[in-house]
């Protein structure tokens, strides 16, 4: 199974945020470690993870090691100018960053599910090509 994780799911896992999908996100990353699922993320998520690690006090080699361990668990989906132009014109997703993430995932035909903590932001998106699920639903599908 191949999935795309929205940045909010990664942050739930990385920060172990309360009242979120942190436990389910952990299960998804364990499944990736066990080669039961392939996880894709966007390049923007990599920037965010690097920033969060820095803010959490992991700097220099510690930051690089932590980022390297994270990147060993995921694939990075490509995006180009057309991805961002399409997302900026996508009126069914009101949050532009969400649109960028969804369009990036749509650009990779191997991705089967878009996993996000805010499914409500995608309720008007055409999900016939790429279903949107929350982490708990995704864990249930494994």
């Amino acid at each position: 199974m191949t999935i795309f994780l929205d940045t909010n799911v990664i942050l739930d896992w990385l920060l172990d945020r309360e009242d979120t999908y942190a436990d389910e996100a952990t299960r998804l990353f364990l499944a990736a470690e066990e080669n039961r699922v392939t996880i894709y993320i966007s390049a923007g998520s990599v920037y965010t993870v690097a920033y969060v690690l820095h803010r959490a006090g992991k700097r220099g080699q510690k930051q690089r090691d932590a980022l390297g361990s994270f990147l060993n668990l995921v694939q990075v989906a490509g995006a180009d100018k057309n991805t961002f132009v399409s997302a900026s014109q996508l009126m069914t997703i009101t949050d532009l960053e969400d649109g960028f993430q969804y369009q990036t995932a749509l650009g990779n035909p191997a991705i089967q599910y878009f996993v996000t903590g805010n499914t409500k932001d995608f309720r008007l998106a055409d999900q016939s090509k790429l279903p949107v699920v929350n982490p708990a639903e995704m864990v249930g599908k494994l």
Side-chain angles (χ1 to χ4, degrees), residues 56-77:
K58 293 188 187 248
R59 295 182 174 92
Q61 193 59 46
K62 287 181 182 179
Q63 181 188 35
R64 286 177 174 76
D65 291 346
L67 189 60
S69 295
F70 168 70
L71 289 172
N72 281 332
L73 296 174
V74 301
Q75 302 296 317
V76 179

Side-chain angles (χ1 to χ4, degrees), residues 30-81:
L30 286 173
E33 195 171 32
E34 297 166 352
N35 295 315
R36 295 187 297 124
V37 66
T38 300
I39 295 175
Y40 276 85
I41 62 169
S42 71
S45 293
V46 177
Y47 302 139
T48 302
V49 168
Y51 174 77
V52 167
L53 289 170
H54 179 81
R55 295 287 297 181
K58 293 188 187 248
R59 295 182 174 92
Q61 193 59 46
K62 287 181 182 179
Q63 181 188 35
R64 286 177 174 76
D65 291 346
L67 189 60
S69 295
F70 168 70
L71 289 172
N72 281 332
L73 296 174
V74 301
Q75 302 296 317
V76 179
D80 60 16
K81 179 180 177 177

Side-chain angles (χ1 to χ4, degrees), residues 82-117:
N82 291 331
T83 304
F84 299 107
V85 169
S86 296
S88 67
Q89 296 170 353
L90 192 61
M91 297 301 171
T92 59
I93 300 177
T94 56
D95 183 306
L96 197 51
E97 190 270 340
D98 284 340
F100 292 154
Q101 295 279 43
Y102 194 69
Q103 284 300 122
T104 299
L106 278 173
N108 185 325
I111 296 172
Q112 298 167 288
Y113 292 96
F114 184 90
V115 184
T116 181

